[in-house]
Amino acid sequence: MMFLIIFILLFTKSNYIREENMAEYQILNLMQIGFIQNAMYFVGMVLFTWLGFRMANNIYNSPDANMLGKVFTSVFCVFVAAFMFGVNQVGGSILESAVSQLNEVGAPSGERMAAYLDFPLVVGSPLQTAFVLFILAFQLAITWSKK
């Protein structure tokens, strides 16, 4: 039992020393893991966006589409746009927090990555929000227009 306690203490001490030396690597690794998770959600949002366009197109091509179908399709498209906005904002916050943590530890990569935050096409930017709103307007226009 004593051997196990000594082993745990030595392992945690060496792991603590290793954490100080690998802070930049760990921050970059966690950022990439966050981006991978965010990309999985983004793929789901792309599929839901495609489904919204399919639903809107079916309503547009159907001469006897009822009001309830149009309302449900519109609500679905609004929810998908809201969730896509959230996915974009989470991606932006992953990048911002990684840059701030890298700057806190004095990593040279923090300065280089800070330049990405000023780029207009960065994840979570207002331009991405405008694009999501454009997709939503496009879907609603297809849903509510007459053939």
Side-chain angles (χ1 to χ4, degrees):
M1 183 68 164
M2 185 59 106
F3 176 74
L4 181 63
I5 294 172
I6 292 172
F7 178 75
I8 291 173
L9 290 174
L10 288 175
F11 178 73
T12 55
K13 181 168 176 51
S14 65
N15 202 16
Y16 176 74
I17 293 170
R18 204 176 309 138
E19 283 182 21
E20 287 180 2
N21 295 336
M22 295 177 47
E24 180 180 9
Y25 173 75
Q26 288 175 339
I27 292 168
L28 292 173
N29 189 32
L30 288 174
M31 180 188 73
Q32 291 301 321
I33 290 170
F35 280 150
I36 290 169
Q37 177 207 11
N38 199 41
M40 289 181 202
Y41 279 106
F42 183 75
V43 169
M45 292 299 102
V46 168
L47 292 174
F48 281 140
T49 301
W50 171 79
L51 181 61
F53 274 114
R54 294 274 304 166
M55 293 165 55
N57 190 38
N58 286 340
I59 287 176
Y60 178 74
N61 288 325
S62 176
D64 58 343
N66 61 9
M67 184 63 65
L68 193 61
K70 289 182 179 186
V71 169
F72 284 160
T73 298
S74 299
V75 169
F76 178 80
C77 292
V78 167
F79 278 134
V80 170
F83 296 149
M84 173 106 52
F85 171 76
V87 167
N88 290 340
Q89 297 308 307
V90 167
S93 67
I94 290 170
L95 180 62
E96 287 177 16
S97 66
V99 168
S100 68
Q101 289 175 350
L102 287 170
N103 287 332
E104 284 177 12
V105 298
S109 61
E111 294 175 19
R112 293 189 303 268
M113 288 181 59
Y116 290 126
L117 296 176
D118 298 330
F119 188 62
L121 298 177
V122 72
V123 63
S125 69
L127 192 57
Q128 279 192 344
T129 303
F131 183 68
V132 169
L133 291 174
F134 170 75
I135 291 172
L136 177 62
F138 191 16
Q139 288 174 328
L140 293 178
I142 293 171
T143 302
W144 292 96
S145 64
K146 298 276 186 194
K147 189 167 187 180

